Structures are given as C-alpha cells and as structure tokens.
Amino acid sequence: MQENSSQNIISYLEERLSHNTQDYVKLFADLKKNFKGKDISNLLNYIIINKNDKKLLNYTIKEINKLKYLNNMNVLIDFILKNDTNSELSDLKVLAIKTLSNFNNTSCVDALLYCLNDKSSNYRIRL
C-alpha cells in the first residue's frame, strides 16, 4: 500500500511538472498545499535524484533549506559528492552545501570535508 501511495504522489508530481514547466514557485506552493511531512520530503528527494533541470533543482534545494527535513540530507550529500564535470552544477552544489550547513547536523561533516579536500572539484565547492 505504501509503495502504491508513493507512486501516486510521484505521478501527481510528474503531471504537475508537465503543466508547470517554468512556474516553479506555483508548483512548490501547490505541492506544499497538497502534501505534508514525509510525502513532501520524498518528492523533494525524487526531484534531486531524477531531474536535470537546473532551475527546478535550484528551487528544490531552496525548499529543502526552508523545510529542513532530515530525510533530505542524504540526497543532498549524494548530490554534492556526485562526480561529474558539469560546471553548471557547481552553483547548485554550492547551494546544496550551504543548505547542509543550515541543518546544524554533524552527520554531513565527512562529506563536506571530502569536498574541501577534493582538489579536482571546482574551487567554489571547496571554498
């Protein structure tokens, strides 16, 4: 039953994304109106993992920063540790690092130290 409910929520998100291709403020307002707690947290995780739209990812990371659900921390950590050379993602990774620092949780310290010491990553990420 839980998996079916998750699929329905993701279907709802995908349907909303197909209709609101650029109005992400309206999209997130609608999602927060219709979903709470773990459901909205799971939707935010889904977007970070499965979407490549830079603007959508930017809004999503900002929403995670506002809501501060601990369930989103691991997805952000995976996002900043993702090994890719796409310089467009550097800005988003910096935003994700700032968001992680706002959680005031020590469980992300190892990942942040890794980013700091990774000489092959963008200097802004290390900064």
Side-chain angles (χ1 to χ4, degrees):
M1 182 68 182
Q2 178 72 15
E3 186 175 320
N4 191 24
S5 174
S6 296
Q7 289 297 344
N8 290 338
I9 294 169
I10 291 171
S11 297
Y12 178 82
L13 171 67
E14 292 292 350
E15 189 265 327
R16 296 295 297 151
L17 284 171
S18 68
H19 288 86
N20 291 323
T21 56
Q22 293 300 313
D23 192 1
Y24 296 126
V25 172
K26 184 177 178 182
L27 170 70
F28 283 107
D30 179 55
L31 291 176
K32 287 191 288 188
K33 183 178 103 178
N34 290 303
F35 303 105
K36 302 290 182 225
K38 191 172 183 177
D39 289 336
I40 191 77
S41 176
N42 288 338
L43 284 173
L44 296 173
N45 285 344
Y46 176 82
I47 293 170
I48 295 289
I49 293 168
N50 296 297
K51 300 301 177 184
N52 294 318
D53 180 346
K54 186 176 177 183
K55 189 175 177 183
L56 176 60
L57 290 171
N58 185 35
Y59 275 98
T60 304
I61 293 169
K62 288 179 180 180
E63 282 300 316
I64 290 171
N65 192 33
K66 288 179 194 173
L67 299 172
K68 292 183 180 55
Y69 291 122
L70 291 178
N71 187 32
N72 297 123
M73 280 184 56
N74 288 333
V75 172
L76 284 180
I77 290 170
D78 290 343
F79 181 75
I80 65 169
L81 295 177
K82 190 184 323 181
N83 223 3
D84 59 38
T85 58
N86 186 349
S87 62
E88 292 182 7
L89 288 181
S90 293
D91 293 339
L92 294 173
K93 287 184 177 189
V94 169
L95 182 61
I97 289 168
K98 289 178 183 178
T99 298
L100 284 170
S101 71
N102 291 332
F103 273 92
N104 294 324
N105 189 310
T106 59
S107 64
C108 62
V109 170
D110 289 337
L112 295 175
L113 286 172
Y114 177 82
C115 290
L116 177 67
N117 292 313
D118 183 10
K119 304 297 184 209
S120 66
S121 70
N122 186 296
Y123 76 95
R124 292 179 45 235
I125 293 171
R126 292 192 318 269
L127 185 64

